[in-house]
Amino acid sequence: GESVGLHLPTLSVQEGDNSIINCAYSNSASDYFIWYKQESGKGPQFIIDIRSNMDKRQGQRVTVLLNKTVKHLSLQIAATQPGDSAVYFCAEMEFGGADGLTFGKGTHLIIQP
Amino acid sequence: GAGVSQSPRYKVAKRGQDVALRCDPISGHVSLFWYQQALGQGPEFLTYFQNEAQLDKSGLPSDRFFAERPEGSVSTLKIQRTQQEDSAVYLCASSVGAGGLEQYFGPGTRLTVT
């Protein structure tokens, strides 16, 4: 079946550097994408979303890029801080399709001091 | 403001017992979702409510799983005759409108079936 997946299970970056977390999706009909941050023992925390009619969206210290041609989504975190350590999930939804989000397996972001 | 809350945070059940998990969504949110998250995996969709109507229950893994939202606010996920494979974190999410954009999650209930 179609699914959303991630290229790397673990990403280690130096504090202060920029982080880029990647996500590949296979459902070409997906209309909406979200990035979530999940810390141990907590529920997923909404970071940023993007619709399929856009290719870039910026938030506070974060940017999401969408490349529909190659079905690729990325999350860029500027000036990574220790508090950014968490598992990051991308999720997708097709409007008019199944009602829930389809999540990937997650990337564990580790911040080195 | 208050976010999504879930109770209990932890539940241990013996195999064969029934459990009930509660979700209090953000006030005024129309849509409510239940997800199941196995250890080390992403959440998987179980069911969706728009107000009190259960519009999608395609993700419920068996007829032992039942969810309700009778007054369009609080929701309960019930699992009958629990099995070990039901052990997981059960997450609830809500969104302000219909359709599921910008879903905000609660902290989850960790269910352990022994």
Side-chain angles (χ1 to χ4, degrees), chain A residues 32 36 38 41 51 99 101, chain B residues 35 37 56 101-103:
Chain A
Y32 178 68
Y36 284 96
Q38 188 171 28
R51 298 198 188 210
D99 290 302
L101 293 167
Chain B
Y35 292 84
Q37 185 174 26
D56 189 342
L101 302 184
E102 259 188 80
Q103 294 181 30

Side-chain angles (χ1 to χ4, degrees), chain B residues 35-63:
Chain B
Y35 292 84
Q36 180 189 62
Q37 185 174 26
L39 188 64
Q41 304 293 317
E44 292 192 353
F45 169 76
L46 295 177
T47 187
Y48 162 58
F49 290 86
Q50 187 178 117
N51 296 308
E52 70 279 2
Q54 188 175 22
L55 299 187
D56 189 342
K57 53 182 180 179
S58 61
L60 296 176
S62 77
D63 59 6

Side-chain angles (χ1 to χ4, degrees), chain A residues 18-38:
Chain A
N18 297 335
S19 300
I20 300 176
I21 302 171
N22 294 304
C23 177
Y25 64 95
S26 56
N27 183 3
S28 57
S30 293
D31 300 291
Y32 178 68
F33 304 87
I34 305 181
W35 280 101
Y36 284 96
K37 171 186 179 183
Q38 188 171 28

Side-chain angles (χ1 to χ4, degrees), chain A residues 85-105:
Chain A
S85 290
V87 177
Y88 289 80
F89 292 98
C90 65
E92 57 92 8
M93 175 187 289
E94 177 185 350
F95 296 151
D99 290 302
L101 293 167
T102 300
F103 283 80
K105 290 188 177 181

Side-chain angles (χ1 to χ4, degrees), chain A residues 65-80:
Chain A
L65 299 177
L66 175 63
N67 186 331
K68 295 180 286 296
T69 302
V70 295
K71 291 184 284 188
H72 183 268
L73 189 71
S74 68
L75 177 70
Q76 300 178 2
I77 304 174
T80 312

